[in-house]
Structure formats: C-alpha cells, structure tokens
Amino acid sequence: MKNIFLLLSFFCIIPIISSQELVKPPKPFGPLPTQKQIEWHEMESYAFIHFSLNTFTNKEWGYGDESPQLFNPTALDVRQWARVAKEAGMKGIILVAKHHDGFCLWPSVYTERSVKNSPWKNGKGDVIKELAAACKEYNLKLGLYLSPWDRNNPEYGKPAYVTYFRNQLKELLTNYGDIFEMWFDGANGGDGYYGGANEARKINTLEYYNWEETYKLIYTIAPKTLVWGVGPSEARWIGNEEGRANQTNWSLLRQKDELAGKVHYSEFMSGHEDGERWVPGEADVSIRPGWFYHAVEDDKVRSLDELVDIYYESIGRNANLILNLPVDRRGLVHENDEARLKELVATINADFETEVLAGSKVSADNVRGNNVQFTAQNVIDGDKNTYWATDDNVKTASIIFDFNQPTPVNRILLQEYIKLGQRVKAFTVEAKVDGQWKTIAAETTIGYKRILRTNRVIASALRVTITDSKASIVISNIQAFNAPIFVRAPEVKRDKNGEVTIKSEAGNSIYYTVDGSDPSVKSILYKKPFRYNKAVEIKAIALNTKENISSAIKRAKYGVSKEKWKIVSISSGDLNTVNRVIDGNPNTDWSFGSDTAKLPQEIVIDMGALLKINGFTYVPQQVGNALNLIANYEFYTSTNAVKWTKQSQGEFSNIKNNPIEQLKIFTEVKARYLRFVAKSAVEKGQTVSIGEINVIEGH
C-alpha cells in the first residue's frame, strides 16, 4: 500500500516538474546590446580629462600654431586624477590624447608636435603611459579621445592625413593596454594653421575618414574597445553638452539614417523607438563652463544642485555620464572641483542608503508560465541575471510591493533585462496612502536604468504598472529609497541698476552675506529685494525650516552695476531694443546684421566711467532654437571713443554645442568705451544675437 502511494505521488509530481521545465525564457526582441556594450552600461559614470597645450594658452580650441614648449606642468600627478575619479565613484577615465590643435600627450613617432618636444620631463615623458599605470593601480578602465580634426597638420583634408590619423590610432591601441572606449569628436574641418597655410579646409566627415575601414582597423587591433561618436559607432552623443538625456530615452538608433545625414543631433537625446541598432547614449558635460582649465573659472564650478540634476537626468535616464575634470596648469584636478565632487558623492550616497523594497512582500498579476524562474521576487533578489517576466502575449502587467508598516519613499529605481532588448514604452508608479492608490509617477522608457525622484509619500504598498511594452515584460531590478530632503540653493539675480533679488523654494528661509563670509542662520535674513551697485560676491543659503536642512552655498559675483552704461552706436539692428545687451538679464537678447547689413557688425558701449578691466564676456542668446551665435569676434577699448585699441580677437570655440557665456581675458587696461565686433556667424548666416555683454574688472 505504501509503495502504491509513493508511486501515485511520483506521477503527480511529474506534470508539475514538466510544466516548470517547459516554460521557455522570453525570446530576444529587437536590437540587442553586445557583451561589450552591456559592460559599458554597467560602468555608468567615468571621468573626462581635458589637459593639453590649451591649458597653458587659456584656449578652448587651439589654432594649431602653438609651440610644444608651452606644455610644462609643474606638479603633474596622474595618480591624483585616478584617486579623485575613484573616490567620486567613477569606473574609468577618458583622456584627451590629442585635441584639435594636434598636440599629442604621448611621444608619437609620426609627429614632432608632442610631449617629446616639451620641457616637461625634458621631453622624456608620456602622460598616457603614466595614466594607464595609475588606472590599473586604482582599478579604473582607461579610455582615449583622439581628435579626427587636426588644425596643425599640413596634410589635413588630403588622403595622407587619414593614414597619419590611423597610424596614431595604432599607437594608442597597441602601447597602453586595454582601451575601454575610443572617443571621436564630431568637430571636423574649418580654420587652422595647417603647417602655415592658415586657411579653412572643408571635408565630408562621413566620407573623408572612411569610418568603416577605420573601425575595422580598431576592432582588429582592439576588439574590446567600444567606439563612440562619429561613423557606425557603438554609443552615441546625447545631443548636448549639458549632461542630460530626455525622459524618453531609447538605447536604439536609426543609424543607417544617421550615416546618411537624415538624423538631426537633437534626436540623440531620445534615441529612436524604431532604431535598427543598439547605440546607447552617453551624456557629456564639464564640471566648469569650459572643457579646458581657465583660472578665471575657479569660482564657476557647477553647483551641487546642477550636478545632482545631471546625475538623475543622465544615469537616471538610461545614459552613461562622462563628467569632465579640466586639469590645471600644475597638472592636478583643482581643489574646488574635487571639493564639489565630494559633495556630490555624499549626496548621491545618502539618496541610495535606505532601500525599502528588499523586505517587502512581492506579487505580480502575471508571471511567465507561473514558473518560479520568472517570479516577481526576482526584482528584489539583488541578482542582475534574474528577472520577472510575463507571458508572450502580456504587454501590460503590475507588480506590487506590500510593506509590513507604512514606509516613506521618494526614489524609484527600475532596470530592464537588456540582454533581451529594450521593451517598455510606458509605466506608472502608484503608492498606497491611507488605503488609497495614488499615482506618483507616469513615465515612458526604462532601459538599462531609470531613476525617478518623487515627492515623499508614506506608503503601505507600491505598485509599478507597465502600461505599454513592445513585447512581453522583462524586468531585472526594482528598488525604492527614502532619500533625505534636498534643499536647492537659492537663485540670485541683480539687474542693471543694482537691485538684488533672491528666490528659493516655497517655505524656505534665505540667509545671505555681502562681505565674503559663508552664510549661516546668523547672517542677514532676506526679506525683500535690496540695492547693491558696487562690486560684490553675494553668498546665500536656503533653509528648510521644517526639517532644519540647509542648501549648498550659492555664490554670485558681480562687478559695478551697469546703471551708467549706455549704447553709443550700433551698425544695424533695432535701436529701441538694443539695451537688452546691457540690462543684466541673460534671457533677453538683441539681434543685428541681415542680408542687407552683412557681417561684420558692431556695437559701441559707454560704461559711464573709467574702469580697470582685464576681459569681457559674450553671453549668447539663451532662449529659442535658432540662437544666431557669433563665431568670430573682435573687441576694442577706448578712454575717449576716438582712439581704439584692439584687446582681443578670435573665435568662440565650440559655442555651437555649448552656447554658454564666452569669456576672454587680456592684459588689464583702463577703459570707458567698448567696441564689440561680430565678424562671422556659426551657421554662416548674416544675423547674430547677443544676450549680454559684460566686462571682467581688474583689481
């Protein structure tokens, strides 16, 4: 009898086991990432290092005629770079090995324009070799940037240069160990020294370099190297230099259309839902306004608020983040940059310190084949290789996390199992508050990683609903956190007449100083706008009185106010609105030049008094799509509006991709009158715009 019972039990178990075994994993859907791309996604963030001749000439783009003798750092320490990157949680460093001016940070055998002809280490140094060793020591991956454009090389634009370019690629890919990413800038062709030719050279970027052949060369030498940027790349530019992706961000791209010139770079911010290739986005941004170091930007390091936003709008939106650290003339990451990175790391670590889903009870309204292999529990098991999956025909489903007790939540992290493709098109997050479901987020794509910042709710349960998906749902990870309240720094503005306005989020108190000291609750309490027309640095904090948490310090530096400034003359444009260029508001702008009043065009300003100045800034138009940016300029000063002295001329390098305030420094002079000449436009049109003209006052 006992044997019959055991036999019946065995036959009952067989169908259960069989049904478990018969459930197959979901089939891959759409374009898929390679293993190389998956490992790249998992890096999430790494440093960019811009450090070259431009560091010593105070330029963003060198012209190509600068002497290698100028490269002479006094305390170059690549181990410091690696330590700073490691402590910032970064997984690698990409070094600009050669920028557009053609100077090489390694002793290339193919050119004399390199560190071998600099005073640094008597010409025996190799920055890349040293950095490769430092990265190995700190367990960081090494990547390299090699500019396809070379404003120095006399052969640029001719077939011989492509051979030169590839020869340098071979050097970089064979002499320094594994290179995780090869970075190719999209800036190609234009003005340059070109061995003394001093001319503009035009090329067809996609055809000239024969990228397919160049990529074959790379993959033959270094199959582990991911290629970024132009041509049939494996990762794409995010479409801006602000470090931010769109909320909808597909890792897919219609690359065939892009290579045919049918895709505008603005589309890179979102990718293409119908893309035929996996080409994920990389968000690049500098920790300062410029990419190279400029001492005048030491007090212009991006605020903590900005960097936190950048983190959530890059890594939190299915993109990798490459954050630039402009190494200074000593050869070090500046202490101001390092201090800000430490603040950022502390903030992000605190945000993700308290995870709340791991101990919850998880259930889903559909599990693939009711099989334990695809259970909802997989999203909280901490294993990136397990996932919750639905049946093939189920593209809408919910997963619920029940808490033992009401739990505060204000961050949600989600990840798809991207080895099977990117599928989710839309989802919602609901919190059960006081017995009622409340929608706290309604979003679109997920991809490798999506992080949502929400208002804090005290929830007894969370429900994530995939409302639209290309195929069955495959989610590998869902987490929720209770992050500390983040208080944003206040916004400080001063108008032309010196009136200062400080704003903060509703309910916060604001404290400020004007004497250079750091503000605290013992400082001046801001109550209403006040006038301060002298040169000043205003420092302010916002205080969340309910939680007694203060913001980071906001610093706003001003020269003497512009209340005495007047427009003396303009060569074209509307005289009634020209005061917008000196109104103290960068969001108002004025245009001049036209098809009948062709460039160059000029504007003359009277500052109303004799001032010591050692530079000026041009703020381009900030609002709109067609910004009518100025490419080349001249800047003159005068004490009497009769005799003029040219103080600065040249180009606003990279302004097309990074339309921020452009700063130019010159030897200190006394001046009352300014003459600003717009010589040419970025898009070769005849109309250009100005948001604001400012001067840098001397001491």
Side-chain angles (χ1 to χ4, degrees), residues 286-290 294-303 306 336-337 340 537 555 557 617 661 663 696:
S286 183
I287 200 168
R288 295 171 174 233
H294 310 287
V296 75
E297 293 180 354
D298 284 349
D299 63 349
K300 292 182 171 60
V301 179
R302 289 185 190 271
S303 68
E306 245 188 307
N336 292 5
D337 303 25
R340 187 54 40 80
E537 182 177 27
R555 293 172 169 84
K557 207 169 186 177
T617 74
E661 184 174 16
L663 187 148
I696 309 300

Side-chain angles (χ1 to χ4, degrees), residues 130-277:
E130 291 189 14
L131 183 59
C135 284
K136 195 170 184 180
E137 178 184 348
Y138 282 89
N139 194 25
L140 297 167
K141 293 184 179 181
L142 175 66
L144 295 172
Y145 166 124
L146 182 70
S147 172
W149 187 19
D150 192 317
R151 302 176 94 176
N152 170 267
N153 196 293
E155 300 299 323
Y156 184 77
K158 305 169 187 175
Y161 174 76
V162 178
T163 301
Y164 169 79
F165 174 63
R166 290 177 180 168
N167 282 336
Q168 289 197 320
L169 262 178
K170 290 176 191 175
E171 285 184 311
L172 295 177
L173 294 171
T174 55
N175 294 337
Y176 301 103
D178 288 342
I179 304 300
F180 86 89
E181 181 171 323
M182 200 74 224
W183 218 93
F184 294 133
D185 202 307
N188 290 279
D191 293 342
Y193 176 68
Y194 303 128
N198 292 312
E199 62 189 16
R201 294 185 179 177
K202 303 296 179 187
I203 61 153
N204 182 312
T205 306
L206 294 174
E207 293 178 6
Y208 175 58
Y209 300 100
N210 191 345
W211 284 114
E212 291 208 6
E213 288 301 312
T214 302
Y215 277 45
K216 282 180 188 174
L217 169 73
I218 295 168
Y219 297 145
T220 300
I221 300 171
K224 294 180 181 177
T225 299
L226 178 141
V227 187
W228 181 96
V230 293
S233 63
E234 297 167 284
R236 71 178 193 268
W237 182 40
I238 208 62
N240 61 67
E241 293 185 356
E242 298 167 11
R244 301 169 194 249
N246 274 345
Q247 287 174 279
T248 297
N249 185 19
W250 294 97
S251 292
L252 317 178
L253 194 67
R254 294 196 300 272
Q255 196 169 70
K256 290 178 182 176
D257 285 350
E258 186 221 341
L259 294 175
K262 297 178 181 177
V263 173
H264 191 265
Y265 66 81
S266 60
E267 296 175 50
F268 294 164
M269 288 184 71
S270 296
H272 295 134
E273 183 183 332
D274 59 350
E276 82 282 346
R277 190 159 181 236

Side-chain angles (χ1 to χ4, degrees), residues 646-673:
K646 185 189 290 182
Q647 303 295 352
S648 182
Q649 67 175 346
E651 65 183 5
F652 294 122
S653 305
N654 200 34
I655 192 171
K656 179 180 178 181
N657 296 325
N658 198 24
I660 61 171
E661 184 174 16
Q662 306 292 307
L663 187 148
K664 299 294 178 178
I665 299 297
F666 45 78
T667 303
E668 184 176 295
V669 296
K670 287 183 178 180
R672 173 168 173 169
Y673 298 92

Side-chain angles (χ1 to χ4, degrees), residues 47-79:
F48 219 170
I49 299 285
H50 278 67
F51 175 63
S52 190
L53 273 181
N54 293 349
T55 309
F56 300 90
T57 60
N58 212 24
K59 296 178 182 176
E60 280 292 288
W61 286 5
Y63 190 67
D65 59 354
E66 304 83 6
S67 169
Q69 289 288 312
L70 295 170
F71 183 82
N72 194 18
T74 55
L76 178 60
D77 184 1
V78 295
R79 293 183 71 254

Side-chain angles (χ1 to χ4, degrees), residues 304-351:
L304 177 62
D305 297 29
E306 245 188 307
L307 289 175
V308 169
D309 286 346
I310 285 167
Y311 176 90
Y312 280 105
E313 293 178 28
S314 57
I315 293 170
R317 290 182 177 177
N318 188 38
N320 275 17
L321 172 62
I322 177 168
L323 179 63
N324 182 60
L325 307 177
V327 167
D328 65 22
R329 293 185 180 192
R330 297 171 299 176
L332 302 173
V333 175
H334 194 274
E335 44 269 33
N336 292 5
D337 303 25
E338 184 178 1
R340 187 54 40 80
L341 280 174
K342 286 179 177 177
E343 291 178 338
L344 174 65
V345 168
T347 300
I348 298 302
N349 286 347
D351 281 4

Side-chain angles (χ1 to χ4, degrees), residues 22-57:
L22 286 174
V23 179
K24 294 181 179 179
K27 290 182 179 179
F29 183 87
L32 303 177
T34 62
Q35 183 59 35
K36 187 198 306 184
Q37 288 172 318
I38 290 171
E39 291 171 5
W40 177 88
H41 276 288
E42 291 174 350
M43 289 182 72
E44 295 192 4
S45 75
Y46 28 92
F48 219 170
I49 299 285
H50 278 67
F51 175 63
S52 190
L53 273 181
N54 293 349
T55 309
F56 300 90
T57 60

